[in-house]
Amino acid sequence: MKNIQILAISGSLRVNSANTNILKSIGEMTDDSVDFQIFEGLDTFPHFNPGVDMDNEKVALFRKKVKEADGVIFCTPEYAFGIPGVLKNALDWTVSTGEFNDKPVAAISASPLNTGGDKALASLILTLTALGTYKNEKSLLSIPNIKQKINGEGALTDSLLKKDLELILNNLLEQVKEKRGGIV
Ligand SMILES: Cc1cc2nc3c(=O)[nH]c(=O)nc-3n(C[C@H](O)[C@H](O)[C@H](O)COP(=O)(O)O)c2cc1C
């Protein structure tokens, strides 16, 4: 049986981003049955315009990677109570082509504030719902006070957070297995 393909998408372009580092930590939690890849290059996409959907190389690669993935996991900061523009832009490019339709997903927001980026997470969930993704109540995680849970090198220092990340990863993998008809 082919390995489970998980695509990870960070909403942050920042060097040493907490959100990207969380995805790296999740990748380290996977075993040999999972191929875990963090997508890079959201900032290279053109601005979404449904009137000019010609073959853009970067967008085409993104669509291909989403289509080929068994599951997609997001981790995003909140900017001005919403999701980062680059992330929304990338998702908009998949609305008409449907790569996310029925795709198992998990969504995480991490913030230095004690609100945990909950508004960005709520907004991301709305978009993921519009895209027809496959998720449940355990597919979502808001992480408050992230600076106290991760060190300068990006390593997790909070055991409860590690547990929460394992839970959301395992839930995503379960959903992928459900989609595969229970065959692992
Ligand atoms: C312009 C700007 C707006 C922000 N707005 C919010 C916000 O609305 N809510 C929030 O929780 N954090 C907000 N933040 C703080 C981000 O959550 C913080 O920069 C976070 O660490 C970015 O994630 P990263 O480490 O993955 O890059 C904002 C930061 C910037 C620079």
Side-chain angles (χ1 to χ4, degrees):
M1 175 66 69
K2 192 168 144 279
N3 273 1
I4 294 174
Q5 310 292 315
I6 298 294
L7 184 67
I9 300 173
S10 174
S12 177
L13 303 176
R14 215 168 57 78
V15 173
N16 206 22
S17 147
N19 285 275
T20 307
N21 285 331
I22 287 167
L23 290 174
K24 287 180 184 164
S25 296
I26 293 172
E28 286 162 13
M29 292 171 183
T30 59
D31 65 22
D32 290 349
S33 68
V34 176
D35 294 337
F36 189 94
Q37 182 189 10
I38 298 181
F39 185 83
E40 287 182 12
L42 289 191
D43 54 340
T44 64
F45 292 15
H47 294 154
F48 177 62
N49 179 343
V52 292
D53 192 1
M54 53 198 140
D55 269 348
N56 179 278
E57 190 190 330
K58 312 281 184 188
V59 173
L61 178 68
F62 180 64
R63 287 171 169 164
K64 180 170 181 284
K65 283 187 182 286
V66 173
K67 189 170 185 181
E68 288 175 356
D70 295 300
V72 180
I73 187 161
F74 296 87
C75 193
T76 184
E78 176 176 283
Y79 292 145
F81 290 179
I83 64 172
V86 283
L87 178 56
K88 182 65 165 61
N89 187 54
L91 294 175
D92 287 346
W93 276 112
T94 68
V95 173
S96 58
T97 42
E99 288 80 9
F100 276 103
N101 195 36
D102 226 18
K103 186 76 64 186
V105 291
I108 304 169
S109 61
S111 166
L113 308 184
N114 60 13
T115 46
D118 56 355
K119 296 175 201 68
L121 187 62
S123 172
L124 177 58
I125 293 161
L126 280 176
T127 302
L128 293 176
T129 300
L131 292 170
T133 58
Y134 187 67
K135 54 187 163 43
N136 63 21
E137 71 285 351
K138 291 190 251 170
S139 310
L140 316 170
L141 177 65
S142 157
I143 306 170
N145 307 314
I146 187 59
K147 287 196 175 155
Q148 286 134 54
K149 299 172 183 173
I150 201 164
N151 67 22
E153 282 75 52
L156 303 179
T157 55
D158 184 284
S159 56
L160 287 178
L161 175 57
K162 279 185 200 167
K163 191 85 208 145
D164 282 343
L165 296 180
E166 278 167 13
L167 287 174
I168 198 164
L169 171 65
N170 289 336
N171 183 65
L172 177 63
L173 297 177
E174 282 306 312
Q175 298 226 291
V176 168
K177 288 168 193 171
E178 272 175 40
K179 283 280 157 202
R180 285 183 166 192
I183 307 160
V184 188

